[in-house]
Amino acid sequence: MATVTKRKRIYVDRHVQGGIVLRLVGLWVASIVLATMLWFVLQFFANPTEGFEYYLENTRMHVVPLVMAFAVTMPIAILQLLKFTHRFAGPVVRLRRMMRELADGQQVPTLKFRDGDYWLDLADEFNRIATTITELRARVDQLEGRPNASFATEEEMAGV
């Protein structure tokens, strides 16, 4: 049975994880713009007799520290989001790699995902398929009289 190692990278799928992070950053920017505009409008209605400079300075005085606080916390939020998304992107990346290896005729070890990962049932289903394909390839080799050097039986894969 394959051993499960600790994660070395948290950013493993540019399309999935990158897309999620870009959406987070986009929502963050939109929220800051909306909050600033709302603050500005509320200040205007609270003090309608003041000039534009007053509203601008008052908004700058209250909103800039808030934006700075968000800017400091955004990298932390992105890191946490990447760690979370790795729990479902990482298993799919590994599954995809092992499917390629199996399709290329290579012998693949038993697939096991890490504790806390999503898609644990996919590993079990993949292992069933890999075992069946390995057995079928071995039977074909036997029927065609070829040596069965490249494929292991189910017992050999399980380490029996």
Side-chain angles (χ1 to χ4, degrees):
M1 189 164 172
T3 60
V4 179
T5 58
K6 274 192 92 152
R7 289 181 174 89
K8 294 178 182 154
R9 297 182 317 152
I10 58 170
Y11 188 67
V12 294
D13 191 326
R14 179 175 53 98
H15 296 292
V16 173
Q17 291 178 291
I20 291 171
V21 166
L22 282 177
R23 281 176 180 77
L24 173 69
V25 171
L27 288 170
W28 178 78
V29 169
S31 298
I32 292 297
V33 169
L34 183 61
T36 302
M37 291 172 53
L38 182 60
W39 176 263
F40 191 80
V41 169
L42 288 174
Q43 289 300 305
F44 174 75
F45 285 117
N47 301 308
T49 59
E50 297 294 333
F52 180 75
E53 293 80 21
Y54 168 80
Y55 303 125
L56 191 58
E57 183 59 34
N58 201 15
T59 301
R60 189 178 314 132
M61 215 169 66
H62 290 90
V63 175
V64 168
L66 184 63
V67 171
M68 289 172 55
F70 276 113
V72 168
T73 59
M74 182 49 90
I76 297 167
I78 289 172
L79 179 64
Q80 290 301 313
L81 184 66
L82 285 173
K83 285 181 179 180
F84 174 74
T85 58
H86 190 287
R87 292 174 55 199
F88 59 84
V92 172
V93 168
R94 289 182 60 216
L95 177 64
R96 191 179 324 142
R97 185 188 74 236
M98 290 187 71
M99 288 171 63
R100 252 190 321 268
E101 291 172 2
L102 185 63
D104 289 343
Q106 298 175 23
Q107 181 177 340
V108 295
T110 301
L111 177 61
K112 181 166 176 13
F113 296 142
R114 296 174 180 94
D115 291 336
D117 277 349
Y118 292 102
W119 318 118
L120 295 175
D121 55 332
L122 282 179
D124 296 335
E125 298 303 322
F126 173 81
N127 290 330
R128 286 183 55 215
I129 291 170
T131 299
T132 301
I133 289 173
T134 300
E135 289 173 356
L136 289 172
R137 285 178 175 161
R139 287 183 192 156
V140 167
D141 286 346
Q142 184 181 25
L143 289 172
E144 291 181 354
R146 289 182 280 181
N148 191 9
S150 61
F151 303 107
T153 65
E154 181 178 355
E155 292 80 23
E156 289 172 332
M157 286 183 66
V160 176

